[in-house]
C-alpha cells in the first residue's frame, strides 16, 4: 500500500472583476442597469491577489453589450496583475478583437456570442489557440444567452456537441438566472454538462457562501476545475482567503 494518499486537486477560484464605464461593477442576472459600483478595477484585482488569487476573471461589460470598450482599463489591470493568470471575456467576436485581447497578456480568452453565432470562426480559433481559448456557455434553462445575455443563442446541448467536435479545451458554465443573486450555484446544470464532456468545466453564477464552495469542491472529481466568484466577495459574505481554504480541502 502506498504511503502517499491520492488527493483530489483543489477547486480553482477565479474572483471576478467586471468593468463598465471604467469602474469595477457587479450586475444582477447580467442585466444592464443593475450595476453596483465597486471602484477602481485595478484596486479590486489587487485586493484579490493580496488574498491569494492565482486567477482573475476579467470582463469588459461594455464590449459584451456592444456599447464601447474599456481596453485601457483592461490593460492596466493585467499589467498590475503580474504573476497572476487572467481570463478575459467580453466582446471578442472576430480576428481583430481576439488579437487585441491576446495582446493584453491575458492567459486565457473566453469566447461567448461568437462561439454561438459564428461556429466556423470559433472552430478555427479553437484549433489555432487550443488551451488559450475557453467558451462561455451562458444558460437560461437549456437555452443559451448571447449578446450580453440579451438574445437567445440556441440549444445548449446542440452547441456543446458542436464545440466538442471542434475540440474546445474548456467551458465556463453560467446559469444566467443565478448570476449575481447569491442564491447558490446550479449544481444540476453543471453535472449535466460534465456528463457530456471530458473537458474541464468552470462554474459561474450564484455562489453565496462557503458551503457553496464546498459543494462545488465535491464536483472536482467529476470534471469541475474552477469557480468564478463575484458578488459574494464584494458583499463580504466571506473573504477570498477563506474560500481558498475551503476550495483546497
Amino acid at each position: 500500500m502506498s504511503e502517499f494518499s491520492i488527493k483530489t486537486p483543489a477547486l480553482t477560484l477565479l474572483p471576478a472583476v467586471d468593468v463598465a464605464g471604467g469602474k469595477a461593477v457587479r450586475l444582477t442576472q447580467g442585466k444592464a442597469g443593475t450595476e453596483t459600483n465597486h471602484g477602481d478595477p485595478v484596486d479590486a484585482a489587487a485586493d484579490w491577489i493580496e488574498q491569494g488569487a492565482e486567477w482573475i476573471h476579467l470582463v469588459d461589460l461594455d464590449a459584451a453589450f456592444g456599447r464601447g470598450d474599456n481596453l485601457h482599463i483592461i490593460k492596466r489591470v493585467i499589467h498590475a496583475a503580474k504573476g497572476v493568470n487572467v481570463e478575459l471575456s467580453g466582446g471578442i467576436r472576430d480576428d481583430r478583437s481576439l488579437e487585441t485581447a491576446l495582446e493584453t497578456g491575458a492567459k486565457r480568452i473566453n469566447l461567448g456570442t461568437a462561439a454561438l453565432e459564428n461556429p466556423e470562426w470559433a472552430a478555427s480559433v479553437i484549433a489555432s489557440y487550443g488551451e488559450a481559448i475557453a467558451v462561455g456557455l451562458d444558460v437560461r434553462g437549456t437555452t443559451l444567452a448571447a449578446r450580453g445575455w440579451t438574445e437567445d443563442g440556441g440549444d445548449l446541448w446542440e452547441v456543446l456537441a458542436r464545440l466538442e467536435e471542434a475540440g474546445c479545451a474548456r467551458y465556463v458554465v453560467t446559469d444566467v438566472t443565478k448570476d449575481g443573486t447569491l442564491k447558490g450555484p446550479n449544481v444540476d446544470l453543471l453535472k449535466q454538462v460534465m456528463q457530456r464532456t471530458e473537458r474541464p468545466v468552470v462554474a459561474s453564477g450564484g455562489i453565496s457562501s462557503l458551503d457553496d464552495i464546498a459543494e462545488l469542491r465535491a464536483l472536482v472529481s467529476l470534471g469541475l476545475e474552477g469557480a468564478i466568484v463575484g458578488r459574494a466577495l464584494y458583499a463580504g459574505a466571506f473573504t477570498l482567503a477563506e474560500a481558498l481554504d475551503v476550495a483546497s480541502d
Side-chain angles (χ1 to χ4, degrees):
M1 184 173 177
S2 172
E3 61 184 291
F4 299 106
S5 61
I6 298 173
K7 185 178 179 182
T8 305
L11 177 73
T12 300
L13 297 184
L14 300 87
V17 179
D18 294 357
V19 185
K23 302 294 184 182
V25 303
R26 295 305 300 162
L27 304 184
T28 301
Q29 298 182 342
K31 295 176 182 176
T34 64
E35 293 92 347
T36 53
N37 188 335
H38 295 280
D40 188 335
V42 176
D43 292 342
D47 188 21
W48 308 142
I49 293 167
E50 185 178 347
Q51 291 189 51
E54 296 181 357
W55 279 88
I56 297 291
H57 180 73
L58 183 59
V59 184
D60 188 336
L61 287 173
D62 291 322
F65 283 114
R67 60 190 186 196
D69 66 64
N70 295 276
L71 183 60
H72 64 297
I73 299 291
I74 297 296
K75 288 180 176 178
R76 280 182 56 217
V77 173
I78 294 174
H79 179 74
K82 288 179 179 177
V84 173
N85 299 310
V86 174
E87 177 180 82
L88 179 60
S89 182
I92 302 161
R93 295 177 179 142
D94 54 29
D95 288 334
R96 182 176 180 181
S97 55
L98 175 61
E99 289 300 324
T100 298
L102 290 167
E103 288 170 0
T104 64
K107 176 78 170 181
R108 191 159 70 214
I109 304 302
N110 191 21
L111 300 182
T113 295
L116 311 180
E117 297 183 349
N118 195 342
E120 292 183 0
W121 179 77
S124 70
V125 167
I126 288 167
S128 297
Y129 295 98
E131 285 284 334
I133 302 297
V135 171
L137 299 174
D138 303 333
V139 190
R140 289 187 186 93
T142 58
T143 300
L144 289 161
R147 299 275 167 187
W149 298 356
T150 61
E151 298 179 10
D152 287 349
D155 178 75
L156 168 62
W157 309 126
E158 291 177 5
V159 172
L160 180 59
R162 171 165 55 73
L163 291 167
E164 283 287 283
E165 188 174 347
C168 183
R170 181 175 280 96
Y171 302 102
V172 179
V173 179
T174 305
D175 182 339
V176 175
T177 67
K178 294 274 193 176
D179 191 68
T181 66
L182 300 177
K183 292 183 177 179
N186 188 336
V187 171
D188 288 341
L189 171 65
L190 295 168
K191 287 180 177 178
Q192 290 177 53
V193 171
M194 290 186 291
Q195 286 171 355
R196 290 168 169 82
T197 181
E198 294 183 357
R199 303 293 187 171
V201 171
V202 176
S204 175
I207 292 173
S208 64
S209 67
L210 293 176
D211 287 343
D212 290 338
I213 300 290
E215 186 175 22
L216 294 176
R217 172 75 176 87
L219 302 181
V220 170
S221 61
L222 301 180
L224 191 68
E225 177 184 70
I228 296 167
V229 190
R231 185 174 292 275
L233 287 176
Y234 288 94
F238 49 79
T239 68
L240 180 60
E242 290 170 336
L244 288 167
D245 282 343
V246 173
S248 63
D249 280 346

